Amino acid sequence: MRLNGEISYRNEEEKEDEMGSVLPPPLPQQKLVVGYALTSKKVKSFLQPKLEGLARKKGILFVAIDPSRPLSEQGPFDIVLHKLTGKEWQQILEDYGRKHPEVTVLDPPDAIQHLRNRQSMLEGVADLNLSDCHGKVGVPRQVVITKDPSSILDAVTRAGLTLPLVAKPLVVDGSAKSHELSLAYDRFSLSKLDPPLVLQEFVNHGGVLFKVYIVGETIKVVRRFSLPDVNKCNLLNNAGVFRFPRVSCAAASADDADLDPAVAELPPRPLLERLARELHRRLGLRLFNIDMIREHETRDRFYVIDINYFPGYSKMPGYEHIFTDFLLSLVQSKHKRR
């Protein structure tokens, strides 16, 4: 942990002993310095006054990083917290991490890259075959389309996917557009979609999505309203592509709604812990969230439909305490290893 190295001359904090000699001021308080490189939107949503106030009380100081200046000339830092995109920034962080192994970089840039592509994003879950007495976790069947929209129908037919299909942008770059989705009801409308994209089979899930927030070893789950179920009547009476903005936003909270208990019941805690532990091991990430749904009219069949790096933690209840405790634990565990 860094020391707050401010030096001051004699002031009101200095005292004299019985001999009239000036006593040195109190030792400076230890500080945990967290450098952050975030978009202005992320700074506004994450670094809220309540978080910064609590952090100060716990000896944590957040310091903005200027991406236009050499990182080695800034700091010193105990932790670097970041969510910027681009190969240049990734290279800067990788070089900095090699030169400063004593600094914890949250999270490794190469690990984050797996979540910037919806094809690689869910590969880790698909390979888990996570099934035990608490339930089963999988991913919806999907196909990736990278080129001509006219090829979509053939690709869907070869993959044997069943309508309706959820279309999502292939690349996740943090923009609002990358979180938009469309629902295609008929085969003839598929050519209206705009590749590169991922097409997932729509799974009826009672219109409720579970956002599983992970901060280190801490797991918090909240409910969000999602797309409503689709029945055979809907398929017969609807055609075309319906576009939706980001579905799982804060305004769509379902935690206080009057829901069917079978729909609202949270996924079993042991199942979530095992899933989070396995994804942490495979992805090498400590800050992420999992979007999960429960297949309608089942109790133990779950699907992971998205994984996001460094999500909107301010929407997670008690995030200020959880996040500051996590930052302190990182340095404590590093000291123990030494």
Side-chain angles (χ1 to χ4, degrees), residues 152-153 156 162-165 183-193 199 234-242:
I152 296 177
L153 180 55
V156 167
T162 303
L163 292 165
L165 296 175
L183 195 59
Y185 278 93
D186 68 279
R187 296 160 58 89
F188 304 104
S189 300
L190 295 175
S191 60
K192 297 179 181 178
L193 298 172
L199 290 173
N234 297 138
L235 283 173
L236 291 173
N237 295 325
N238 287 291
V241 174
F242 292 79

Side-chain angles (χ1 to χ4, degrees), residues 218-289:
T218 300
I219 301 172
K220 282 278 188 179
V221 189
V222 297
R223 302 177 190 86
R224 292 281 182 263
F225 283 120
S226 181
L227 299 180
D229 288 349
V230 176
N231 55 36
K232 291 182 180 179
C233 182
N234 297 138
L235 283 173
L236 291 173
N237 295 325
N238 287 291
V241 174
F242 292 79
R243 303 186 187 278
F244 299 89
R246 190 166 188 160
V247 174
S248 56
C249 61
S253 175
D255 279 329
D256 299 321
D258 185 16
L259 297 171
D260 179 346
V263 172
E265 182 183 7
L266 296 178
R269 187 77 185 181
L271 188 68
L272 292 180
E273 289 174 350
R274 186 179 170 200
L275 176 61
R277 185 169 59 249
E278 288 295 329
L279 286 179
H280 164 67
R281 182 178 65 83
R282 289 187 173 218
L283 298 174
L285 298 174
R286 287 168 282 195
L287 301 176
F288 62 100
N289 92 287

Side-chain angles (χ1 to χ4, degrees), residues 25 28 39-40 65 70 82 97 99 115 123 136 140 144 157 171 174 176 185 211 217 227 230 232 252 259 297 312 323:
T39 63
S40 57
I65 290 173
H82 67 98
K99 294 176 182 176
L115 300 190
E123 286 175 350
K136 186 172 183 179
V144 176
T157 302
V171 177
Y185 278 93
K211 293 196 78 71
E217 296 181 1
L227 299 180
V230 176
K232 291 182 180 179
L259 297 171
E297 298 183 342
F323 211 93

Side-chain angles (χ1 to χ4, degrees), residues 104-115:
T104 300
V105 177
L106 288 175
D107 272 312
D110 57 338
I112 298 170
Q113 284 302 112
H114 290 290
L115 300 190

Side-chain angles (χ1 to χ4, degrees), residues 96-104 334 338:
Y96 181 79
R98 283 192 292 269
K99 294 176 182 176
H100 298 275
E102 76 283 2
V103 179
T104 300
K334 183 171 286 189
R338 290 175 183 173

Side-chain angles (χ1 to χ4, degrees), residues 2-47:
R2 308 287 181 195
L3 289 178
N4 181 2
E6 293 182 0
I7 301 175
S8 59
Y9 294 97
R10 182 177 179 182
N11 54 38
E12 65 275 7
E13 291 184 347
E14 293 182 340
K15 298 180 181 179
E16 295 184 354
D17 63 14
E18 293 178 354
M19 302 296 294
S21 301
V22 175
L23 296 175
L27 289 174
Q29 182 185 6
Q30 280 193 317
K31 292 285 186 184
L32 173 63
V33 181
V34 180
Y36 64 89
L38 308 171
T39 63
S40 57
K41 181 180 177 182
K42 193 69 176 178
V43 170
K44 185 177 180 180
S45 67
F46 176 71
L47 282 177

